[in-house]
Amino acid sequence: MASAPEDPRDSHKHTNRLIHETSPYLLQHAHNPVDWRPWGDEAFDEARRLGKPVFLSIGYSTCHWCHVMEEESFEDEEIASVMNDLYVSIKVDREERPDVDAIYMAAVQALTGSGGWPMSVWLTPDREPFFGGTYFPPRDGVRGASHGFMTILRDIQSTYKEDPARVGRASAALVNAVRSRIEAGGGPAGAAAAGRPAPSLIADTLTVFKRLFDDRDGGLRRAPKFPSNIPIRLLLRAHARGGDGVALLMAGLTLSKMAAGGMCDQLAGGFHRYSTDARWLVPHFEKMLYDNALLAVGYAEAWQVTERDDFARVTRDILEYLHREMTAPDGGFYSATDADSKRPDGKSEEGAFFVWSEAEIRQLLGAGPETDRFIRYYGVTAGGNFEGANILAVATPDEHEHAALAPQRAALYAARLHRPPPFRDEKILAAWNGLAISAFAVGGRIFDEPRYVAAAARAAAHLCDKMRPGGRLARSAKDGRVGAAGFLDDYAFACAGLIDLFEATFEARWLREAIALAGEAERLFADPAGGWFMTAADHEKLIAREKPAYDGAEPSGTSVALLNALRLATFTSDDRWRAIADNAFSAIAPTLIENPLALTEALLALDYASDEAKEIAIVWPRDAGPEAARPLLDVVRGTFVPNHALAAASEADAPALGALIPFIADKTAAGGRATAYVCVRGRCELPVHEPAALLELLARRLPYAP
């Protein structure tokens, strides 16, 4: 008879309430001596009953400095004892509760001028912040701190007890700051709603980027460097509208330098979160699903514009990495992998999994000219380029050399698999899965790779079939349990992914699902004044209700929902979607005009709205298969037409698809041949059969109006 499984709590000295959660981040803290509680009424009611303030810690499972603060403070018995005596302590996974994270990040930014994770915030039992920061060293003098976490804990509790009026003033000021920052969508105080900004705003924004651009290493002249610092897809769109070529130069140089640097995993594909230096050499080693999904689309579009082999390869490398290492058995995509991993001596260290010594490489690859060639190409030295070790990076990229060194990369990759891997956060986030669905659908369509399209379809089926309990999209899922009801970005990113998947498959189901999600998002999140709230009316009431108006490492739900509305207007010919987009533009116009760099993803929507979006319909004879239309579809795959709606069907199926997409309803395979139609709001050019004729129609673009 098999014995009962061991209770994981039996082997730990401490176990707190987080043991019952599914979030990997919360479970990482389930055995801290701190009496952590999950976010919820029970914790705040207990704080009120005991007359204690609340200490709120927000982070995520793959955050390096979150691990540092846990090891230094939350695993320290003395510090934990102080926390347990003086506070009710709450842990929040920012990826599961972005609404809570946004509120208290706004408070920390108002108080300190910056933010980040781990986030440390002190609250009243009414959830109102009165002090906050990010990482704190554990004790006075550590890392040069004059006031360590232990001292701060005691000082704040003393002030809370002895000077409640001061705490009240601080909380009132922070609550007002939070509301003014996020409830108005981030627009300037007192700014009036306006109509859609002129497309000249895009040119003005590019002028700013030209001034800040690093013309040696790409990106902005700064460190650290994030992929999102330069809006690659906007630069490609600006280039397509004409200009002096500088937009394409900025996009191309940035993509090239990122792919050659240590921020790109030269062995496995995929990108780390950001570069700590200005040369893209030394990364912060965690890998995020959203970064890689967004970069895959950027590189794929750059290939359409330039036909550069390296951009095609990098796109495939990203998607192969996600397919191989970040895909769950049921088809969803995992969230992230950690920056830290174990060295051979068992000690955790940032980047340990990814770095090499020259001696180790020579031992694995053997002596010979090919090993010397590899070492030269990837900049390996005895002294290393990162704390005595080597991050693989390329000073002078060469596609021929890259291809020739494939056996050496494969050998090192195989050897690396025997190292202790970084922790992988295996929760499925709806928003990030939406981005990944877009990446695989766009990559699969552009490069005609059925495996990628199939991966997108599996993830979409998981999202639509397993993460919509009662019909409502959930934010997250793990171990068969779903999390909170989805937020605006979950709906917006998933909708965008489904639209992209329809264009890769022409299966009506995916467009129907996209329309349904967009309609549900209007019901749940729309502000009658225009734009969208992050939370639905029936979400938990926090101290403010955010209207997202900032595109950071991830695009905002506002920007993506806005572009979705414009795309659905083109597909469906339903002016309701165009009115929704116009109202949203009006709501965010003050922010766009005041600070367009804060909403560069919304500028993609402005580019779309300022263009004549092409309705592309391809129809093949009823007695033929899709292969009959392949030459025409290949033209669409290889041509950069950012503002379009694409539909294709056999002559027999076009009328049924036309119930969703009116512009294909009456199209036929003229003369019994596969036929392409290019229209703008129902006004069609003459149908064409030849790829060259279709290419000419797709190449016509409007310059930005003044």
Side-chain angles (χ1 to χ4, degrees), residues 1-187:
M1 182 176 178
S3 60
E6 180 183 357
D7 188 328
R9 290 170 287 187
D10 293 344
S11 59
H12 294 87
K13 183 178 179 181
H14 302 282
T15 299
N16 56 53
R17 292 166 177 82
L18 301 185
I19 196 67
H20 302 296
E21 301 299 309
T22 59
S23 158
Y25 177 63
L26 298 188
L27 289 171
Q28 285 173 351
H29 293 79
H31 298 294
N32 294 163
V34 178
D35 185 18
W36 291 116
R37 300 165 188 259
W39 178 274
D41 291 340
E42 184 272 336
F44 289 100
D45 289 345
E46 183 73 356
R48 189 174 294 105
R49 185 182 71 80
L50 297 174
K52 292 182 177 181
V54 170
F55 173 70
L56 171 64
S57 177
I58 302 178
Y60 58 103
S61 68
T62 59
C63 163
H64 171 70
W65 285 100
C66 298
H67 301 329
V68 172
M69 192 163 180
E70 179 189 15
E71 182 178 348
E72 292 178 345
S73 294
F74 304 147
E75 292 180 350
D76 184 292
E77 298 274 358
E78 183 183 13
I79 292 176
S81 177
V82 171
M83 294 175 68
N84 295 339
D85 288 344
L86 303 183
Y87 296 92
V88 170
S89 297
I90 296 176
K91 262 286 174 193
V92 167
D93 182 339
R94 78 171 183 98
E95 294 169 356
E96 288 197 334
R97 290 300 302 266
D99 55 334
V100 173
D101 179 64
I103 294 295
Y104 297 104
M105 182 64 75
V108 169
Q109 289 173 333
L111 190 66
T112 68
S114 62
W117 300 276
M119 195 195 320
S120 305
V121 194
W122 283 260
L123 317 178
T124 71
D126 293 323
R127 295 169 165 80
E128 295 181 345
F130 61 91
F131 187 73
T134 53
Y135 161 81
F136 292 100
R139 289 176 171 80
D140 299 356
V142 176
R143 301 183 193 275
S146 58
H147 291 77
F149 187 53
M150 176 82 88
T151 299
I152 292 170
L153 288 170
R154 288 177 168 145
D155 287 351
I156 289 177
Q157 195 272 344
S158 176
T159 301
Y160 184 82
K161 288 291 187 184
E162 297 173 10
D163 197 350
R166 180 181 175 187
V167 171
R169 290 192 298 272
S171 65
L174 278 180
V175 168
N176 287 335
V178 167
R179 288 174 176 161
S180 66
R181 274 174 175 254
I182 71 175
E183 285 190 337

Side-chain angles (χ1 to χ4, degrees), residues 164-361:
R166 180 181 175 187
V167 171
R169 290 192 298 272
S171 65
L174 278 180
V175 168
N176 287 335
V178 167
R179 288 174 176 161
S180 66
R181 274 174 175 254
I182 71 175
E183 285 190 337
R196 187 176 78 211
S200 57
L201 180 64
I202 297 174
D204 294 342
T205 306
L206 295 182
T207 298
V208 177
F209 280 114
K210 289 176 184 178
R211 187 170 68 247
L212 301 175
F213 186 68
D214 181 342
D215 56 10
R216 186 190 71 172
D217 293 306
L220 301 186
R221 291 193 303 274
R222 55 169 291 181
K225 282 185 174 178
F226 289 80
S228 58
N229 289 153
I230 283 281
I232 297 295
R233 297 180 68 205
L234 182 66
L235 294 174
L236 297 175
R237 281 152 177 76
H239 172 74
R241 299 285 199 106
D244 56 8
V246 176
L248 182 60
L249 183 150
M250 291 194 292
L253 181 63
T254 301
L255 292 173
S256 298
K257 291 290 188 177
M258 282 198 299
M263 203 184 83
C264 179
D265 185 343
Q266 301 293 333
L267 299 183
F271 285 80
H272 300 292
R273 185 161 171 250
Y274 64 86
S275 173
T276 62
D277 62 278
R279 296 186 295 136
W280 309 104
L281 174 62
V282 179
H284 183 48
F285 287 92
E286 65 188 307
K287 285 183 173 181
M288 313 301 290
L289 176 61
Y290 64 80
D291 281 325
N292 284 285
L294 293 165
L295 283 166
V297 175
Y299 277 96
E301 290 189 344
W303 174 81
Q304 285 184 312
V305 174
T306 66
E307 297 186 347
R308 283 178 49 168
D309 291 342
D310 55 335
F311 293 164
R313 173 182 57 78
V314 173
T315 307
R316 292 190 179 96
D317 286 349
I318 295 170
L319 296 177
E320 290 294 339
Y321 154 69
L322 293 178
H323 195 269
R324 181 181 63 247
E325 300 185 25
M326 297 296 286
T327 304
D330 54 15
F333 296 104
Y334 297 136
S335 295
T337 56
D338 209 324
D340 296 5
S341 49
K342 284 185 168 50
R343 302 185 316 202
D345 62 7
K347 180 177 173 57
S348 287
E349 185 175 87
E350 186 175 8
F353 183 74
F354 298 99
V355 299
W356 303 85
S357 70
E358 180 182 355
E360 185 180 16
I361 291 175

